[in-house]
Amino acid sequence: MKILRYAGLILFLCGALPAHAVLTIEIMGAGENQIPIAIVPLAGEDKLAQSISEIVSADLARSGLFRLVGSAGKRPHEPNEVVYADWAGVDALLIGSVKVQPNGRVEVKIRLLDAVKQTELFGQAVSAKNDQLRAIAHRIADLIYEKLTGDAGVFSTRIAYVNRQGKSNRLVVADSDGYGEQSVLSISEPIMSPAWSPDGSHLAYVTFEQGHAVVYAQSLLTKQRVVLANFSGSNSAPVWASDGKSLAIVLTRDGSSQIYLVRPDGSNLRRITFSGVIDTEPNFSPDGQYLLFTSNRGGSAQIYRMPVEGGSAVRQTFDGGSNFSPRYSPDGKSFVFAHFINGKFYIAMQDFQSKQMQLLTDGGWEKKPSFSPNGKLVLFASEARGRGILATVSSDGRVKQRMFPQDGDIREPVWGPFLKP
Amino acid sequence: MKNLVIAVLSATLLAACASKKPVEQVEETKPAPAAAAKAAPGSTAAAAPVAPVAVDPLNDPNSLLAKRSMYYPFDGYVVQDADKPAVQAHAKYLAEHPDRKIRVEGHADERGSNEYNLALGQRRADGVKSMLVLGGAKSSQIETASYGEEKPGASGHDEAAWSQNRRADLIY
């Protein structure tokens, strides 16, 4: 994979946002066929705290699939104001307007135009409270992405990660662009392994508040949490099955780290691996039939697959080094993982059919990959300038993005599911 | 003479785990690496601490019990030969002091996933516990936990840091 061919394009998008969320985003690379698009500033959006068109533009640019074309002072807001001759070289054009209602709600009307066929692709009105401008903008970006690429957009989805500053550890949920951070838990002991419930309503995670690793599940709405596993030794690596009815966790209560299934309320605990060595990091296939996991049963840490209901585990990785943190792609046809060789971690992907490993990154300190819910991007933890940062790479390895938080080190990122609108 | 050898040995072992907070400092001994290197493989639990007279040997900086951190090779979790005399000395102490309790914390370097390293640290801690129990300590005296790579003693992506972080700490 020659990724650095595209290194020429580097965009810096700095947010003019509440201090809590300010971060820097760098994008490298570009999709093979970028769609040229113009996002015209919306009528009336200059009266808002944030520019919707700028957020939409940043979202589309980050995907690597669009080439943002400036509007050069032209400001059509209605279809009859568009002079298509002005937009040669642009495939699509977003126009629209914003109205702030007397009750403070913001109503946004947008139209996406096909600048080549000179037709309207769709029109939509969205209204929301004025503290939800980013959510509206992400929704609009999703609509555009879906219309023009055929895949569902993930700009409205959320991610979770741990932000560590000295002895302070915060589990946070943020928009997929790293903005809008909300603290779920803030403690002085380490936090590990956040995992989303399939409906996005809960996070399971591991903390050391009780002096050893304990697994919790917490509601993001009520903030209420339950202990999922607190046996002697280490309780770790929770992950939800896609039907939400069970989780896989890793316990040492019977000896070495082994995989167990448990209900979300902590009941019906059942052991499913019996290797006597280290089995950890389970991940369910989208159909719920299989688990991928990391095991050192062959001598080094490698990735294995086994039926959830028991049966023999089959080794999946053979390309040397050691391999960790497997995650199924949303279509179940491949998996992403961390490949460690010659002192470096790479984010790698492997297709179940071809069994070929493909490196998505150039290597460094890159760990904990997880797919975006549309399978087009992989989020992972990286390091740059001496800090832990968020990074993404497109699943074809072409477009890379790094997100630098304002403060602290980012660890353990995980991409959340699609949310029901 | 025997005491001198043990003192030198302790000093060398302490020096080998320099990154851990040096609670017990050895002041009087001059380094004699040759003697220590020679003494280390041969020493056994029998040659270890002097019987408690008035002071608790746990507080004797010259005792093998002063060694509270055991170190491991990459991805390994078997107590190393060099550390066995110290673990056996702790086992003997616990057997002789059934009211004392100990916590064994396992750690790992960062070359692995966080979860794998948690499992590895737990195996290190549990391996120390097994040896303590074999040496006469009661299982109920020993609690184990792992922090994996979450609480490194040394930072940095190099062997100097990693070698300090692959360890099990015995905490009374």
Side-chain angles (χ1 to χ4, degrees):
Chain A
M1 299 257 20
K2 275 279 170 289
I3 295 156
L4 285 177
R5 265 189 300 173
Y6 302 94
L9 173 70
I10 300 184
L11 285 174
F12 289 88
L13 307 166
C14 273
L17 279 173
H20 204 52
V22 174
L23 42 68
T24 310
I25 299 174
E26 299 176 8
I27 304 161
M28 294 172 73
E32 196 164 22
N33 298 301
Q34 286 189 312
I35 300 167
I37 186 169
I39 308 294
V40 180
L42 306 178
E45 72 172 355
D46 50 339
K47 295 185 187 68
L48 302 176
Q50 297 173 45
S51 158
I52 288 175
S53 63
E54 279 177 21
I55 300 167
V56 171
S57 299
D59 278 349
L60 297 176
R62 281 188 305 116
S63 75
L65 301 183
F66 296 87
R67 186 163 56 82
L68 276 299
V69 177
S71 54
K74 300 179 286 282
R75 291 286 185 275
H77 300 306
E78 296 293 333
N80 60 12
E81 296 168 9
V82 175
V83 179
Y84 281 104
D86 290 344
W87 303 96
V90 171
D91 282 4
L93 183 65
L94 185 82
I95 58 171
S97 59
V98 173
K99 265 201 193 112
V100 182
Q101 308 289 3
N103 62 5
R105 281 184 80 83
V106 176
E107 193 181 274
V108 184
K109 283 184 190 164
I110 49 140
R111 292 176 199 277
L112 186 67
L113 307 176
D114 183 326
V116 179
K117 292 182 186 152
Q118 307 190 0
T119 54
E120 183 173 316
L121 291 166
F122 70 80
Q124 184 120 356
V126 198
S127 98
K129 286 188 280 185
N130 61 5
D131 61 351
Q132 291 182 320
L133 296 177
R134 294 196 74 83
I136 294 180
H138 291 321
R139 183 77 199 117
I140 292 169
D142 282 337
L143 291 168
I144 297 170
Y145 183 97
E146 186 161 358
K147 192 75 194 175
L148 297 180
T149 71
D151 294 310
V154 292
F155 305 114
S156 296
T157 59
R158 296 198 289 171
I159 59 176
Y161 52 85
V162 176
N163 188 321
R164 175 178 294 175
Q165 274 182 274
K167 289 207 161 167
S168 143
N169 294 278
R170 283 191 308 131
L171 175 61
V172 301
V173 168
D175 291 355
S176 67
D177 59 2
Y179 286 91
E181 260 195 9
Q182 289 175 308
S183 278
V184 176
L185 180 74
S186 187
I187 54 174
S188 59
E189 288 293 319
I191 306 171
M192 280 177 62
S193 315
W196 289 89
S197 67
D199 65 359
S201 68
H202 287 69
L203 281 180
Y205 54 81
V206 172
T207 81
F208 295 79
E209 292 158 79
Q210 304 198 38
H212 65 140
V214 172
V215 182
Y216 298 89
Q218 182 166 345
S219 162
L220 295 176
L221 194 65
T222 66
K223 303 272 175 165
Q224 209 167 23
R225 70 175 186 175
V226 296
V227 172
L228 272 188
N230 182 11
F231 299 99
S232 67
S234 294
N235 306 271
S236 65
V239 65
W240 248 280
S242 51
D243 65 3
K245 289 177 182 155
S246 64
L247 292 97
I249 54 176
V250 172
L251 307 177
T252 60
R253 66 164 205 174
D254 300 318
S256 188
S257 293
Q258 300 284 286
I259 301 172
Y260 297 71
L261 297 180
V262 67
R263 289 205 183 120
D265 62 2
S267 70
N268 210 27
L269 188 71
R270 187 157 62 91
R271 181 174 171 182
I272 54 168
T273 65
F274 298 88
S275 69
V277 292
I278 294 175
D279 293 339
T280 188
E281 301 186 285
N283 183 246
F284 286 94
S285 60
D287 65 8
Q289 300 296 301
Y290 289 91
L291 280 177
L292 285 173
F293 62 99
T294 306
S295 176
N296 66 346
R297 58 185 65 194
S300 63
Q302 299 296 341
I303 291 163
Y304 291 78
R305 180 170 66 169
M306 68 174 282
V308 172
E309 290 310 323
S312 58
V314 179
R315 183 170 163 176
Q316 304 292 313
T317 45
F318 293 95
D319 288 282
S322 44
N323 297 287
F324 303 91
S325 309
R327 288 257 169 187
Y328 274 95
S329 62
D331 66 8
K333 290 178 179 162
S334 59
F335 63 102
V336 71
F337 55 104
H339 176 62
F340 183 71
I341 193 161
N342 298 330
K344 279 185 170 181
F345 276 99
Y346 299 78
I347 301 303
M349 195 160 101
Q350 187 167 312
D351 186 90
F352 283 110
Q353 203 153 33
S354 73
K355 297 184 165 63
Q356 293 293 305
M357 179 179 77
Q358 180 196 10
L359 297 181
L360 297 181
T361 62
D362 300 326
W365 218 255
E366 300 167 336
K367 290 183 169 187
K368 265 298 164 69
S370 64
F371 274 102
S372 61
N374 67 358
K376 295 294 172 185
L377 293 170
V378 177
L379 175 71
F380 57 97
S382 186
E383 246 191 40
R385 296 166 210 156
R387 298 174 63 192
I389 63 164
L390 288 168
T392 63
V393 59
S394 55
S395 52
D396 62 4
R398 286 177 177 275
V399 186
K400 289 195 249 175
Q401 180 186 164
R402 302 197 296 182
M403 295 182 263
F404 293 81
Q406 189 184 31
D407 304 297
D409 285 305
I410 290 185
R411 302 169 64 83
E412 307 278 292
V414 58
W415 209 314
F418 283 125
L419 297 174
K420 304 272 179 296
Chain B
M1 179 55 200
K2 193 164 123 190
N3 282 347
L4 174 66
V5 171
I6 291 166
V8 170
L9 176 60
S10 306
T12 312
L13 288 171
L14 271 177
C17 54
S19 93
K20 246 334 240 187
K21 38 187 176 196
V23 187
E24 275 84 19
Q25 280 290 4
V26 178
E27 300 113 1
E28 76 277 34
T29 49
K30 295 227 158 37
K38 208 177 159 198
S43 35
T44 63
V50 191
V53 186
V55 296
D56 189 336
L58 209 51
N59 301 323
D60 176 2
N62 297 331
S63 160
L64 265 182
L65 297 175
K67 179 173 169 56
R68 304 283 170 83
S69 292
M70 312 303 152
Y71 294 86
Y72 298 84
F74 173 62
D75 209 11
Y77 40 74
V78 175
V79 176
Q80 299 297 287
D81 285 347
D83 291 337
K84 282 178 182 167
V87 175
Q88 284 157 355
H90 285 285
K92 186 163 176 282
Y93 178 85
L94 288 167
E96 287 164 358
H97 298 81
D99 54 320
R100 295 303 299 254
K101 290 210 172 0
I102 192 173
R103 176 174 159 88
V104 185
E105 289 181 358
H107 299 267
D109 74 29
E110 56 185 0
R111 290 176 295 167
S113 64
N114 218 341
E115 287 77 6
Y116 185 83
N117 285 330
L118 186 77
L120 189 57
Q122 186 69 43
R123 282 208 82 138
R124 286 174 179 157
D126 289 343
V128 170
K129 177 176 178 174
S130 298
M131 189 171 278
L132 291 172
V133 170
L134 274 175
K138 283 204 291 290
S139 181
S140 57
Q141 284 175 279
I142 309 153
E143 170 195 327
T144 63
S146 172
Y147 286 100
E149 61 172 270
E150 287 286 333
K151 288 192 170 180
S155 57
H157 301 316
D158 51 39
E159 180 55 26
W162 295 331
S163 63
Q164 295 298 313
N165 296 335
R166 295 189 299 268
R167 66 174 201 283
D169 293 334
L170 282 69
I171 300 161
Y172 281 89

